[in-house]
Amino acid sequence: MVDSHGRVIRDLRLSITDRCNFRCVYCMDPGVRFMDRSELLDAQELVRVARVCVGLGVDTVRVTGGEPTLHPDLEEIIGGVAGLAGPDGAALDVAMTTNGSLMDERRLTAWRRAGLRRITISIDSVDPRRFASMTRSRTTSDRVLAGIEAALAAGLRPVKLNAVVVRGYNEYEVVGLAELARRFAVEMRFIEFMPLDSRHEWSMNRVVPATEIIARISAAHPLTPLGREDESSTSLVYEFADGAPGRIGVIAPVSRPFCGACSRLRVTADGKVRPCLFSNTEWDLRPLLRGGADDEQIAQFLVDATWTKQSGHGISSPRFTPPDRPMSAIGG
């Protein structure tokens, strides 16, 4: 799959549910209603989409939500995707993003045996009160920290941590969060607040730019820049200058867009293809999946949708229009 700007799609973000047990301030209003289950793709349909995408050159599939660990067939989906032969017969890279609230060693071990290779866990605060105010949930930050330990014990590698930084909520906590990288010997990634909240209350004055995030951390723990792991990587990576384990990553779509080398395609839980996270046009794949289309027809549909991928998200443009759907309904 190649878009009209010459970018090759290698990474599928496959949302398996719009449901979530958190109501994070940068994503979902407490009053958001979930879709009827009949509108969501089932496990077989999700695996079929992945299979066709892999046949078109995708070598990485990230399972997302909503919160994917809420899905009753998660292990089946992971196993079905992981059982696909990647390009040139190589093993497919199967990853998952989760809020970490429903993880324990038993479930993590089962997912790993099913074929999950790596996991990214969201944790926006280690302070119990601030964690509660940001996630608007009953889950505690200690529960997520225990989940991180369980993921490492289950043998998933790498384990990465994500924090969305929102001014007025957790910008003063970036040093404490950065120290999780040192504590667990993992990569702690900080994400600029994006206009993907269901209330559409995003504004630039709530964005904490990458330069400020790095300056705050460096004041306590000097950092050495490593750059991007590859040109399509979302994260600018740093290591600790004192040689401590762990790394820091910054994902800066607002202040340092990385659209020019984007290799990602998204499929939502209800079967909509989104060439860009900020697409305002969706391609509805579900009628083909449920209408008797063969794999060749689905593949052509995906190729055509990919061709429309926009050159960039345009967040800084005065003509920018945020997506109608929040992040929970789009997929990470």
Side-chain angles (χ1 to χ4, degrees):
M1 291 181 284
V2 182
D3 69 17
S4 61
H5 305 281
R7 296 169 296 192
V8 179
I9 300 302
R10 299 292 186 194
D11 185 336
L12 172 65
R13 304 296 173 96
L14 185 65
S15 176
I16 65 173
T17 182
D18 67 327
R19 286 148 172 79
C20 190
N21 54 339
F22 284 11
R23 298 293 184 274
C24 295
V25 295
Y26 50 80
C27 179
M28 193 192 308
D29 181 76
V32 166
R33 291 181 177 271
F34 299 130
M35 289 178 278
D36 188 90
R37 291 188 185 277
S38 65
E39 298 180 64
L40 306 181
L41 301 187
D42 63 26
Q44 290 182 338
E45 290 168 330
L46 290 162
V47 173
R48 186 184 182 194
V49 170
R51 184 180 74 242
V52 175
C53 286
V54 170
L56 291 169
V58 162
D59 57 21
T60 300
V61 177
R62 178 172 292 278
V63 177
T64 71
E67 175 46 46
T69 62
L70 290 170
H71 200 293
D73 300 321
L74 175 58
E75 190 173 338
E76 177 187 346
I77 294 166
I78 292 172
V81 173
L84 302 171
D88 301 322
L92 199 63
D93 183 9
V94 182
M96 183 170 70
T97 299
T98 172
N99 62 30
S101 63
L102 300 174
M103 297 191 312
D104 56 41
E105 194 166 345
R106 179 190 63 80
R107 295 190 80 194
L108 285 156
T109 299
W111 300 334
R112 183 172 180 268
R113 287 175 178 166
L116 187 68
R117 295 180 60 182
R118 53 194 178 92
I119 196 165
T120 299
I121 302 166
S122 296
I123 181 165
D124 300 313
S125 173
V126 292
D127 177 81
R129 291 185 179 181
R130 189 174 293 114
F131 184 90
S133 70
M134 289 197 72
T135 64
R136 296 186 287 216
S137 76
R138 295 183 180 180
T139 299
T140 64
S141 52
D142 284 344
R143 177 69 191 87
V144 179
L145 292 170
I148 296 167
E149 292 180 338
L152 292 167
L156 291 167
R157 295 292 187 280
V159 173
K160 295 184 179 181
L161 311 181
N162 279 354
V164 177
V165 185
V166 183
R167 194 173 302 283
Y169 280 92
N170 63 343
E171 73 269 31
Y172 295 107
E173 205 174 342
V174 295
V175 173
L177 288 165
E179 288 169 352
L180 294 180
R182 300 165 70 92
R183 172 179 168 182
F184 292 113
V186 298
E187 184 175 315
M188 179 74 227
R189 305 191 303 180
F190 297 90
I191 305 172
E192 291 178 342
F193 178 33
M194 293 179 281
L196 292 166
D197 55 312
S198 61
R199 285 186 172 179
H200 300 296
E201 293 179 345
W202 178 89
S203 65
M204 282 296 295
N205 62 14
R206 297 184 70 190
V207 176
V208 182
T211 51
E212 180 179 336
I213 292 169
I214 292 303
R216 287 179 179 273
I217 297 169
S218 294
H221 303 289
L223 299 173
T224 301
L226 299 178
R228 299 189 191 275
E229 291 183 333
D230 59 70
E231 65 174 5
S232 66
S233 175
T234 61
S235 181
L236 293 164
V237 182
Y238 299 76
E239 63 183 2
F240 292 105
D242 64 2
R247 305 195 307 182
I248 298 299
V250 180
I251 300 174
V254 179
S255 66
R256 299 182 188 178
F258 39 83
C259 305
C262 181
S263 62
R264 288 166 289 284
L265 185 74
R266 287 174 167 80
V267 176
T268 66
D270 58 336
K272 305 298 192 299
V273 180
R274 297 182 64 89
C276 172
L277 177 59
F278 292 95
S279 293
N280 280 301
T281 299
E282 297 181 326
W283 292 61
D284 193 356
L285 186 58
R286 194 176 62 201
L288 289 178
L289 292 168
R290 297 182 178 177
D294 60 25
D295 284 1
E296 185 176 343
Q297 290 172 299
I298 292 172
Q300 187 60 56
F301 183 91
L302 290 165
V303 167
D304 291 343
T306 298
W307 186 256
T308 71
K309 187 176 175 74
Q310 61 214 57
S311 61
H313 53 59
I315 291 175
S316 60
S317 168
R319 295 186 299 275
F320 174 76
T321 303
D324 291 334
R325 303 216 251 180
M327 190 70 166
S328 60
I330 294 174

